[in-house]
Amino acid sequence: MGNHKKFLSKKRKGNFKVESKRKRNEKKDDEVINKKAKFNRYKDKQKVEEILAKKKLMEDRFRQQDKSFSESEPEDDTYTQLVSSFKNNNVHKLIESEEESMSEGDLDVVDNVKTPPIHDQSNDTLYSESEENNEISDPELEKEDNGLETDRDASNDPFTKHLQYELSDELLVSMSNSEPFEKKITKEWPSLGHLHISIPQPMESVSKISKPKISILEEKTYASLGSVPQSFKKVDFNELYIKSQIKDNIVSSNKNNLIKRDLELSEVFTPLQKELFSIMNHYQDLYYSDRTFTNGDEIRYTYCLHVANHMLKTRTKIIHHNAKLSKKTDISDEYRDQGLVRPKVIILVPFKDAAYRVVKTLIDIVVPKEAGQVVNKNRFEDDFTGGEILMPTKNPKPEDYELLFSGNTDDTFRLGLTLTKKTLKLYTDFYASDILIASPLGLRMIVGAEGEEDRDYDFLASIELLILDQADVFLMQNWDHLLHVLDHFHLQPKKTHGTDFSRVRSWAVNGWSKYYRQTLVFSSIAMPEIRSIVNKKCQNYRGKVIISNQPELGAIRQVLVQVPQLFHRFNASSPLSAVDARFDYFVKEILPKQRDPLMSHTLIYVPSYFDFVRLRNYFKKEDISFVQVCEYTKDAKIARARDMFFHAEAHFLLYSERVHFFRRLRIKGIRHIIFYQPPTYPHFYSEMLNLMQESNQNKYGGSECNMTSTTLYCRYDAARGAAVLGVDRITRMLNADKPLHMYLTGDK
């Protein structure tokens, strides 16, 4: 005790020499570093890991001792801790684990604890030593090591341009605004059509921020601004920077798409694929609303090729850096090549069958027959096939229904994939996966809601590529699931998940990952809800490309029955106020006329379930004769409602759009139909009207002269109206003085 007081008195008088203690610590650090060179002599991997753990504990003890003796010189101690935090005397493939945060009382026990295997919970440690040795012999890596690939060639790779550099302060200020300053360009391409390109611009001129000076001796290069994508005619793998590993597989894996387009097998891409890949490879966001069942395979193949190329480049860079760092003791910023967590790509699709097609396409591109291995392939085949819906032979469903719901239609799934040199691993843990394929509901179940204990969204923190395929189907399933998941992207992780922070990119640490994420959205219809996601949730600093092709001919051309088709326009000041304005117009202007006994057999088609519930409650309150059919109605009640409606026992039938999407019921006895809002899918308009054919009518329910169709719309329904009527008609109707318009079948 006396010695302790004597020690404290010396410290207060300034006689305690912190420098000598620091020198002793540095000397011990040097001894530990020198021992690192001897690690490779050990053949027993477990011994190496135990030595590394002991060395780490020694460093922790030294830091804590430094901290306890540094009260008299806080500034020097802060500097020492800062320097020591960047020291990485460990083997560089190892990453920080949660065990490093143990308390001082636990330090004596850890020496007897086995270190976890090197492949557990790691950002890049699934690249094992044996794989790394094989990777170093890769021709591309040898090419880089021999200096055959110049820095200029590497810097021109769009992958490097997009991810390697930080954003300038001026561009960050612009991007952080609710409405960033953007440069807008319009292009016309042969296959895609109208391209609307938006490129964020900094607050000052580009010339002033290209290489701003940090100090007299230092200059820093910032990420270049986005540019207008250029379509290519001749396919050159080197100019497109496609990895050599998959070059030879492209034509064979794309064979079916080429044959469907009557192209020779000497071709590499279809015209549509060339233009899509030009934008994807440029790392800009893309929204394409003309997806069909005809071009769906082309689109899927193109984004799968982009995903495979992106992940192989990421893997090659990490493995190459691991090889170089094994010969070094310090890590510089040039070796920062990772995110806060490992998952890089998320592909959202609506059904298991769509996920099955994505995985099969990735297999064809990366590991075709006899060229690689697919781990857990049999399990995948069992889980993602089967469960098909039996299509009726009598009264068959429409063609688009059979194509959409072919295969496994389960919408609750998630799958992790890991990509190695010659292996594609399925069913890997999320934090050990490169690619995640899931449905919005599957991810929502993991993300959970606020207040739930068992929830996790850290795996969304470092997503570099997000793909939404068949986004219109998400609208029919549950749009809230998708919005909820998107709100949890790029949040600060709650756990380290084995991340080596010395290898994390600076912009990921700064919380700017959302500005580097590329988002690709594909849908079969142009919807404001989807457009809103692209505008508000996609903040790629490289810019975005929106394909906007106005439909010249609407679905009204497919109507076969001779029925007067009325379109009622009501006024609304905003999309939110349009909900109440639509209801008021319907209750005051439409419903009183339709309640006349002569207007029985009236079906009310309601796209939104919220509007459906509101109308149902109003009908119950006013004691109006009606039956209802929605997606939650049981089969027995559906059959009873259809029977009552056909025999005029109920005046109205409330019919939701989602039940029509998932069931395609052939409702009989319709004499009058009211579209509470233009349908989401334009061909539903003609489908419903064509159900009014004489063969589906109750002959005691009325005459052909007493049949009508009524549609309510406002200016915020312009996109839906254009798909039904055509852009010219809806434009004239919105600008006309009179609110009521009528068309007859066969009108031009």
Side-chain angles (χ1 to χ4, degrees):
M1 187 68 183
N3 293 333
H4 180 65
K5 292 182 178 180
K6 182 179 180 181
F7 168 76
L8 293 177
S9 63
K10 288 184 178 181
K11 185 177 179 182
R12 282 193 295 267
K13 294 178 181 179
N15 295 328
F16 180 69
K17 297 182 179 180
V18 180
E19 293 77 6
S20 60
K21 182 66 177 179
R22 186 174 297 123
K23 288 180 180 180
R24 289 197 298 272
N25 291 342
E26 291 176 355
K27 184 177 180 180
K28 291 180 180 181
D29 286 343
D30 293 338
E31 292 176 358
V32 176
I33 293 172
N34 293 333
K35 291 180 181 179
K36 178 184 172 183
K38 301 179 181 179
F39 284 174
N40 293 330
R41 300 179 184 177
Y42 290 93
K43 295 183 179 180
D44 188 352
K45 187 176 180 179
Q46 187 62 37
K47 289 183 178 180
V48 176
E49 294 171 351
E50 290 176 358
I51 293 173
L52 293 175
K54 291 180 181 179
K55 182 193 71 64
K56 186 61 181 176
L57 294 176
M58 291 172 60
E59 292 178 349
D60 290 342
R61 289 193 183 100
F62 294 155
R63 289 196 196 99
Q64 292 196 8
Q65 290 173 4
D66 258 353
K67 184 177 180 180
S68 63
F69 295 133
S70 61
E71 296 179 1
S72 61
E73 293 183 354
E75 296 182 359
D76 291 348
D77 181 68
T78 303
Y79 176 79
T80 304
Q81 293 184 31
L82 179 62
V83 173
S84 63
S85 66
F86 284 95
K87 288 184 180 179
N88 190 355
N89 299 327
N90 208 340
V91 175
H92 295 293
K93 289 183 297 179
L94 290 176
I95 41 76
E96 180 181 333
S97 64
E98 295 179 10
E99 295 171 354
E100 294 176 0
S101 60
M102 289 184 175
S103 62
E104 186 176 358
D106 298 327
L107 293 177
D108 295 333
V109 185
V110 179
D111 290 344
N112 298 324
V113 179
K114 291 185 178 180
T115 305
I118 210 168
H119 53 77
D120 285 353
Q121 287 189 348
S122 173
N123 208 14
D124 65 333
T125 52
L126 282 183
Y127 310 131
S128 62
E129 290 184 357
S130 59
E131 289 181 27
E132 183 176 339
N133 293 333
N134 293 332
E135 282 288 351
I136 295 175
S137 63
D138 188 287
E140 293 193 13
L141 293 180
E142 291 180 355
K143 185 177 180 182
E144 292 181 6
D145 290 336
N146 296 330
L148 298 178
E149 185 172 358
T150 63
D151 294 339
R152 177 180 175 276
D153 293 335
S155 62
N156 287 333
D157 188 345
F159 171 86
T160 303
K161 282 183 173 182
H162 180 59
L163 297 175
Q164 184 165 340
Y165 305 106
E166 295 183 31
L167 303 182
S168 65
D169 295 338
E170 292 81 358
L171 186 57
L172 279 172
V173 171
S174 177
M175 294 292 298
S176 60
N177 291 334
S178 58
E179 296 183 1
F181 177 64
E182 295 179 335
K183 179 181 179 182
K184 299 184 181 297
I185 305 101
T186 303
K187 285 272 189 177
E188 183 79 19
W189 283 8
S191 297
L192 292 179
H194 296 281
L195 276 66
H196 297 275
I197 307 167
S198 302
I199 301 175
Q201 299 294 311
M203 302 306 294
E204 298 180 4
S205 63
V206 179
S207 59
K208 293 183 180 180
I209 67 159
S210 58
K211 281 190 176 184
K213 291 185 177 181
I214 304 300
S215 67
I216 299 176
L217 302 177
E218 182 182 0
E219 289 187 351
K220 187 173 182 179
T221 303
Y222 290 118
S224 60
L225 299 178
S227 59
V228 179
Q230 301 295 328
S231 178
F232 58 88
K233 296 181 180 179
K234 183 180 178 181
V235 178
D236 187 333
F237 291 141
N238 293 327
E239 291 184 359
L240 295 175
Y241 293 91
I242 295 178
K243 294 289 291 181
S244 60
Q245 180 178 338
I246 57 178
K247 288 179 182 177
D248 297 334
N249 306 333
I250 291 179
V251 175
S252 59
S253 57
N254 198 28
K255 179 179 177 180
N256 292 334
N257 291 320
L258 297 173
I259 293 175
K260 288 179 182 179
R261 294 290 172 270
D262 296 327
L263 299 174
E264 297 181 1
L265 292 182
S266 58
E267 294 282 345
V268 179
F269 299 122
T270 66
L272 177 62
Q273 288 175 332
K274 288 181 181 178
E275 297 183 4
L276 287 174
F277 193 75
S278 298
I279 300 173
M280 294 180 190
N281 200 40
H282 208 56
Y283 280 92
Q284 291 178 314
D285 293 343
L286 172 65
Y287 173 35
Y288 182 65
S289 59
D290 291 333
R291 187 191 190 279
T292 63
F293 294 106
T294 305
N295 63 22
D297 291 337
E298 294 180 71
I299 295 172
R300 183 184 302 110
Y301 180 86
T302 308
Y303 70 68
C304 284
L305 175 62
H306 180 54
V307 167
N309 195 41
H310 179 86
M311 286 312 309
L312 288 173
K313 289 179 180 179
T314 300
R315 175 177 172 76
T316 301
K317 182 178 287 293
I318 292 175
I319 295 295
H320 190 207
H321 286 172
N322 287 346
K324 286 187 174 182
L325 290 172
S326 64
K327 306 173 185 178
K328 297 184 177 183
T329 58
D330 296 327
I331 296 182
S332 60
D333 287 346
E334 64 177 304
Y335 296 109
R336 293 183 177 271
D337 48 19
Q338 302 167 27
L340 295 172
V341 289
R342 176 162 182 167
K344 300 287 191 298
V345 179
I346 286 187
I347 303 176
L348 292 181
V349 288
F351 304 118
K352 274 189 173 181
D353 179 69
Y356 178 80
R357 295 171 186 265
V358 170
V359 175
K360 295 291 285 185
T361 304
L362 288 172
I363 292 174
D364 292 340
I365 294 173
V366 180
V367 284
K369 297 179 180 179
E370 300 180 0
Q373 180 184 6
V374 181
V375 181
N376 293 325
K377 184 176 181 181
N378 292 335
R379 177 185 172 187
F380 171 73
E381 294 281 350
D382 294 339
D383 289 349
F384 283 78
T385 57
E388 295 89 350
I389 296 177
L390 296 177
M391 300 296 175
T393 55
K394 184 180 180 181
N395 296 328
K397 301 288 185 181
E399 181 182 6
D400 68 289
Y401 181 88
E402 294 186 357
L403 292 173
L404 179 63
F405 293 98
S406 62
N408 194 323
T409 56
D410 187 0
D411 63 350
T412 309
F413 62 91
R414 45 197 175 266
L415 178 67
L417 290 79
T418 298
L419 190 64
T420 63
K421 184 178 181 181
K422 293 184 178 180
T423 305
L424 186 65
K425 300 179 183 179
L426 308 178
Y427 293 96
T428 53
D429 180 76
F430 266 25
Y431 291 98
S433 301
D434 299 317
I435 304 170
L436 306 178
I437 303 176
S439 64
L441 177 58
L443 286 188
R444 173 66 185 266
M445 294 175 67
I446 297 179
V447 172
E450 187 175 355
E452 295 181 2
E453 294 183 1
D454 188 14
R455 59 182 310 215
D456 184 13
Y457 48 82
D458 289 355
F459 61 90
L460 301 173
S462 296
I463 298 301
E464 298 171 358
L465 184 56
L466 171 64
I467 299 172
L468 309 178
D469 196 6
Q470 295 177 278
D472 52 285
V473 182
F474 302 154
L475 196 65
M476 292 291 106
Q477 292 175 330
N478 194 324
W479 193 245
D480 183 64
H481 291 338
L482 178 62
L483 297 178
H484 184 75
V485 170
L486 291 177
D487 287 339
H488 288 79
F489 270 72
H490 308 299
L491 300 180
Q492 183 177 353
K494 295 182 177 180
K495 299 180 180 179
T496 60
H497 301 286
T499 302
D500 181 2
F501 290 98
S502 65
R503 299 283 294 275
V504 177
R505 294 186 175 98
S506 300
W507 49 260
V509 176
N510 293 333
W512 301 337
S513 297
K514 60 183 178 180
Y515 300 132
Y516 288 80
R517 190 191 77 214
Q518 182 187 24
T519 308
L520 308 176
V521 184
F522 304 98
S523 70
S524 62
I525 51 176
M527 291 299 300
E529 292 87 345
I530 303 176
R531 187 73 171 263
S532 175
I533 282 183
V534 177
N535 290 333
K536 295 182 178 180
K537 305 290 186 181
C538 302
Q539 298 173 291
N540 189 350
Y541 80 93
R542 302 282 293 176
K544 63 174 70 76
V545 179
I546 297 176
I547 313 299
S548 179
N549 297 315
Q550 300 293 341
E552 297 180 2
L553 303 176
I556 195 172
R557 293 292 187 100
Q558 308 300 324
V559 177
L560 302 178
V561 295
Q562 293 292 330
V563 176
Q565 302 167 49
L566 303 174
F567 291 84
H568 292 257
R569 188 184 74 220
F570 63 92
N571 297 322
S573 58
S574 66
L576 186 61
S577 64
V579 177
D580 293 330
R582 190 188 311 275
F583 179 77
D584 293 339
Y585 188 89
F586 173 81
V587 170
K588 295 178 182 178
E589 302 293 335
I590 305 298
L591 189 58
K593 301 175 183 177
Q594 295 296 137
R595 294 184 66 175
D596 190 287
L598 294 176
M599 304 298 287
S600 63
H601 295 276
T602 298
L603 182 143
I604 304 176
Y605 181 97
V606 189
S608 170
Y609 182 72
F610 300 104
D611 291 333
F612 180 90
V613 173
R614 187 175 189 178
L615 289 176
R616 181 187 63 191
N617 294 340
Y618 179 81
F619 277 32
K620 288 181 178 180
K621 179 182 177 182
E622 298 295 326
D623 197 21
I624 299 175
S625 174
F626 80 102
V627 289
Q628 59 174 319
V629 175
C630 70
E631 57 271 26
Y632 302 110
T633 309
K634 297 181 179 180
D635 290 345
K637 291 188 176 181
I638 290 177
R640 185 171 181 272
R642 294 173 67 179
D643 183 73
M644 293 179 65
F645 180 72
F646 181 79
H647 292 97
E649 296 178 22
H651 189 96
F652 293 100
L653 169 60
L654 284 180
Y655 188 68
S656 74
E657 183 176 65
R658 288 173 66 183
V659 73
H660 186 70
F661 176 84
F662 287 106
R663 303 288 292 272
R664 298 296 176 92
L665 302 174
R666 302 171 71 91
I667 306 296
K668 295 184 178 182
I670 304 174
R671 292 284 178 180
H672 309 277
I673 185 168
I674 300 174
F675 290 95
Y676 190 74
Q677 185 179 11
T680 303
Y681 289 88
H683 61 276
F684 286 179
Y685 179 83
S686 56
E687 274 187 22
M688 295 303 301
L689 285 180
N690 289 334
L691 291 176
M692 299 169 70
Q693 297 179 38
E694 186 62 29
S695 59
N696 294 328
Q697 298 294 346
N698 183 346
K699 60 182 179 180
Y700 303 107
S703 64
E704 295 183 8
C705 299
N706 186 25
M707 299 173 67
T708 59
S709 169
T710 303
T711 304
L712 278 66
Y713 73 99
C714 67
R715 62 185 179 129
Y716 299 105
D717 298 320
R720 294 171 180 253
V724 171
L725 296 166
V727 64
D728 292 336
R729 282 178 174 172
I730 195 65
T731 301
R732 291 197 301 266
M733 291 165 56
L734 289 172
N735 295 326
D737 295 333
K738 57 180 182 178
L740 179 62
H741 295 81
M742 184 179 72
Y743 294 97
L744 296 174
T745 305
D747 287 352
K748 295 183 179 180

Coordinates of all heavy atoms in Angstrom, one line a residue, residues 121-124 126-127 311 341-346 414-419 425-437 459 462-463:
Q121 N -18.6 -16.8 -39.1 CA -19.0 -15.4 -39.0 C -17.9 -14.5 -39.4 O -17.3 -13.7 -38.7 CB -19.3 -15.1 -37.5 CG -20.6 -15.7 -37.1 CD -21.1 -15.2 -35.7 OE1 -20.3 -14.6 -35.0 NE2 -22.3 -15.4 -35.4
S122 N -17.7 -14.5 -40.7 CA -16.6 -13.6 -41.3 C -17.1 -12.9 -42.5 O -17.9 -13.4 -43.2 CB -15.4 -14.5 -41.6 OG -14.4 -13.7 -42.3
N123 N -16.5 -11.8 -42.7 CA -16.9 -11.0 -43.9 C -16.2 -11.5 -45.1 O -16.7 -11.4 -46.2 CB -16.4 -9.5 -43.6 CG -17.3 -8.6 -44.4 OD1 -18.3 -8.9 -44.9 ND2 -16.8 -7.3 -44.5
D124 N -15.0 -12.1 -45.0 CA -14.4 -12.6 -46.2 C -13.7 -13.9 -45.9 O -12.9 -14.4 -46.7 CB -13.4 -11.6 -46.7 CG -12.3 -11.4 -45.8 OD1 -12.4 -11.5 -44.6 OD2 -11.2 -11.0 -46.3
L126 N -14.7 -16.9 -45.6 CA -15.1 -18.2 -46.3 C -14.2 -18.5 -47.4 O -14.2 -19.5 -48.0 CB -16.6 -18.0 -46.8 CG -17.6 -18.2 -45.8 CD1 -19.0 -18.2 -46.4 CD2 -17.5 -19.5 -45.1
Y127 N -13.3 -17.5 -47.8 CA -12.3 -17.8 -48.7 C -11.1 -18.4 -47.9 O -10.3 -17.8 -47.4 CB -11.8 -16.5 -49.4 CG -12.9 -15.6 -49.9 CD1 -13.0 -14.3 -49.6 CD2 -13.9 -16.2 -50.7 CE1 -14.0 -13.5 -50.1 CE2 -14.9 -15.4 -51.2 CZ -15.0 -14.1 -50.9 OH -16.0 -13.3 -51.4
M311 N -20.0 -10.0 -58.3 CA -19.5 -10.8 -57.2 C -18.1 -11.4 -57.5 O -17.3 -11.5 -56.6 CB -20.5 -11.9 -56.8 CG -21.8 -11.4 -56.2 SD -21.5 -10.2 -54.8 CE -20.3 -11.1 -53.8
V341 N -20.9 -5.7 -43.5 CA -21.3 -7.1 -43.4 C -21.0 -7.7 -44.8 O -20.8 -7.0 -45.8 CB -22.7 -7.3 -43.0 CG1 -22.9 -7.0 -41.5 CG2 -23.7 -6.5 -43.8
R342 N -21.1 -9.0 -44.9 CA -20.7 -9.7 -46.1 C -21.7 -9.6 -47.2 O -21.3 -9.4 -48.4 CB -20.4 -11.1 -45.9 CG -20.0 -11.9 -47.1 CD -19.3 -13.2 -46.9 NE -19.0 -13.8 -48.2 CZ -18.1 -14.8 -48.3 NH1 -17.5 -15.3 -47.3 NH2 -17.9 -15.4 -49.5
P343 N -23.0 -9.8 -47.0 CA -24.0 -9.8 -48.1 C -23.9 -8.6 -49.0 O -23.9 -7.4 -48.5 CB -25.4 -9.9 -47.4 CG -25.1 -10.5 -46.1 CD -23.7 -10.0 -45.7
K344 N -23.8 -8.8 -50.3 CA -23.6 -7.7 -51.3 C -24.8 -7.5 -52.2 O -25.1 -6.4 -52.7 CB -22.4 -7.9 -52.1 CG -21.1 -8.0 -51.4 CD -20.6 -6.7 -50.9 CE -19.2 -6.8 -50.3 NZ -19.0 -7.7 -49.2
V345 N -25.5 -8.6 -52.5 CA -26.6 -8.5 -53.5 C -27.9 -9.1 -52.9 O -27.8 -10.1 -52.2 CB -26.2 -9.3 -54.7 CG1 -27.3 -9.3 -55.8 CG2 -24.9 -8.8 -55.3
I346 N -29.0 -8.4 -53.1 CA -30.3 -9.0 -52.8 C -31.2 -9.0 -54.0 O -31.3 -7.9 -54.7 CB -31.0 -8.2 -51.7 CG1 -30.3 -8.4 -50.3 CG2 -32.5 -8.5 -51.6 CD1 -31.0 -7.8 -49.1
R414 N -36.5 -17.5 -48.4 CA -35.3 -16.7 -48.4 C -34.1 -17.7 -48.6 O -34.2 -18.8 -48.0 CB -35.1 -15.9 -47.1 CG -35.4 -16.7 -45.8 CD -35.6 -15.7 -44.7 NE -36.1 -16.4 -43.5 CZ -37.3 -16.6 -43.2 NH1 -38.3 -16.1 -43.9 NH2 -37.7 -17.3 -42.1
L415 N -33.1 -17.4 -49.3 CA -32.1 -18.3 -49.7 C -30.8 -17.5 -49.7 O -30.7 -16.5 -50.4 CB -32.4 -18.9 -51.0 CG -31.3 -19.9 -51.6 CD1 -31.2 -21.2 -50.7 CD2 -31.7 -20.3 -53.0
G416 N -29.7 -18.0 -49.1 CA -28.4 -17.4 -49.1 C -27.5 -18.2 -50.1 O -27.5 -19.4 -50.1
L417 N -26.7 -17.5 -50.9 CA -25.8 -18.1 -51.8 C -24.4 -17.6 -51.6 O -24.2 -16.4 -51.4 CB -26.2 -17.9 -53.3 CG -27.4 -18.5 -53.8 CD1 -28.7 -17.8 -53.4 CD2 -27.4 -18.6 -55.4
T418 N -23.4 -18.4 -51.7 CA -22.0 -18.0 -51.6 C -21.3 -18.4 -52.9 O -21.4 -19.6 -53.4 CB -21.3 -18.7 -50.4 OG1 -21.9 -18.2 -49.2 CG2 -19.8 -18.3 -50.4
L419 N -20.6 -17.5 -53.5 CA -20.0 -17.7 -54.8 C -18.5 -17.9 -54.6 O -17.8 -17.0 -54.1 CB -20.3 -16.6 -55.8 CG -19.9 -16.7 -57.2 CD1 -20.6 -17.9 -57.9 CD2 -20.2 -15.4 -58.0
K425 N -22.5 -22.3 -53.5 CA -23.0 -22.9 -52.3 C -24.4 -22.3 -52.0 O -24.6 -21.1 -51.9 CB -22.1 -22.6 -51.1 CG -20.7 -23.2 -51.3 CD -19.8 -22.8 -50.1 CE -18.4 -23.3 -50.3 NZ -17.5 -23.0 -49.1
L426 N -25.4 -23.2 -51.8 CA -26.8 -22.8 -51.5 C -27.0 -23.0 -50.0 O -26.4 -23.8 -49.4 CB -27.8 -23.6 -52.3 CG -27.5 -23.5 -53.9 CD1 -28.6 -24.4 -54.6 CD2 -27.6 -22.1 -54.4
Y427 N -28.0 -22.3 -49.5 CA -28.4 -22.4 -48.1 C -27.3 -22.0 -47.1 O -27.2 -22.6 -46.1 CB -28.9 -23.8 -47.8 CG -30.2 -24.2 -48.5 CD1 -30.1 -24.9 -49.7 CD2 -31.4 -23.9 -48.0 CE1 -31.3 -25.3 -50.4 CE2 -32.6 -24.2 -48.7 CZ -32.5 -24.9 -49.9 OH -33.7 -25.3 -50.6
T428 N -26.6 -21.0 -47.5 CA -25.5 -20.5 -46.6 C -26.2 -19.5 -45.6 O -27.2 -18.9 -45.9 CB -24.4 -19.9 -47.3 OG1 -24.9 -18.9 -48.2 CG2 -23.6 -20.9 -48.1
D429 N -25.5 -19.4 -44.4 CA -26.0 -18.4 -43.4 C -26.0 -17.0 -44.1 O -25.1 -16.7 -44.9 CB -25.1 -18.5 -42.2 CG -25.6 -17.5 -41.1 OD1 -26.6 -17.7 -40.5 OD2 -24.9 -16.4 -41.0
F430 N -26.9 -16.2 -43.7 CA -27.0 -14.8 -44.3 C -25.7 -14.1 -44.1 O -25.3 -13.4 -45.1 CB -28.2 -14.0 -43.6 CG -29.5 -14.2 -44.3 CD1 -29.8 -15.2 -45.1 CD2 -30.4 -13.2 -44.2 CE1 -31.0 -15.3 -45.8 CE2 -31.7 -13.3 -44.9 CZ -31.9 -14.4 -45.7
Y431 N -25.1 -14.1 -43.0 CA -23.9 -13.3 -42.8 C -22.6 -14.0 -43.4 O -21.5 -13.5 -43.3 CB -23.7 -13.1 -41.3 CG -24.7 -12.1 -40.8 CD1 -25.8 -12.6 -40.1 CD2 -24.6 -10.7 -41.0 CE1 -26.8 -11.7 -39.6 CE2 -25.6 -9.9 -40.5 CZ -26.7 -10.4 -39.9 OH -27.7 -9.5 -39.4
A432 N -22.8 -15.2 -44.0 CA -21.7 -15.8 -44.7 C -22.1 -15.9 -46.2 O -21.4 -16.7 -46.9 CB -21.5 -17.2 -44.2
S433 N -23.1 -15.2 -46.7 CA -23.6 -15.2 -48.0 C -23.1 -14.0 -48.8 O -23.0 -12.9 -48.3 CB -25.1 -15.3 -48.1 OG -25.5 -16.5 -47.4
D434 N -23.0 -14.2 -50.1 CA -22.7 -13.1 -51.0 C -24.0 -12.6 -51.6 O -24.2 -11.4 -51.8 CB -21.8 -13.6 -52.2 CG -20.5 -14.0 -51.7 OD1 -19.9 -13.4 -50.8 OD2 -20.0 -15.1 -52.2
I435 N -24.9 -13.5 -51.9 CA -26.2 -13.1 -52.6 C -27.4 -13.7 -51.8 O -27.3 -14.8 -51.3 CB -26.2 -13.8 -54.0 CG1 -25.0 -13.3 -54.8 CG2 -27.5 -13.4 -54.8 CD1 -24.9 -14.1 -56.2
L436 N -28.4 -12.9 -51.6 CA -29.6 -13.3 -50.9 C -30.8 -13.2 -51.9 O -31.0 -12.2 -52.6 CB -29.9 -12.4 -49.7 CG -28.8 -12.2 -48.7 CD1 -29.2 -11.3 -47.6 CD2 -28.4 -13.6 -48.1
I437 N -31.5 -14.3 -52.0 CA -32.7 -14.3 -52.9 C -33.9 -14.6 -52.0 O -33.9 -15.5 -51.2 CB -32.6 -15.4 -54.0 CG1 -31.4 -15.2 -54.8 CG2 -33.8 -15.4 -54.8 CD1 -31.1 -16.3 -55.8
F459 N -28.0 -7.5 -41.9 CA -27.5 -8.0 -43.2 C -27.9 -7.1 -44.3 O -27.4 -7.3 -45.4 CB -28.1 -9.4 -43.4 CG -29.6 -9.5 -43.5 CD1 -30.3 -9.3 -44.7 CD2 -30.4 -9.7 -42.3 CE1 -31.7 -9.4 -44.7 CE2 -31.8 -9.7 -42.4 CZ -32.4 -9.6 -43.6
S462 N -24.9 -3.4 -46.0 CA -23.9 -3.1 -47.0 C -24.3 -3.7 -48.4 O -23.5 -4.2 -49.1 CB -22.6 -3.8 -46.6 OG -22.1 -3.1 -45.4
I463 N -25.6 -3.6 -48.7 CA -26.0 -4.1 -50.0 C -25.6 -3.1 -51.1 O -25.8 -1.9 -51.0 CB -27.6 -4.2 -50.0 CG1 -28.0 -5.3 -49.0 CG2 -28.1 -4.6 -51.4 CD1 -27.5 -6.6 -49.2

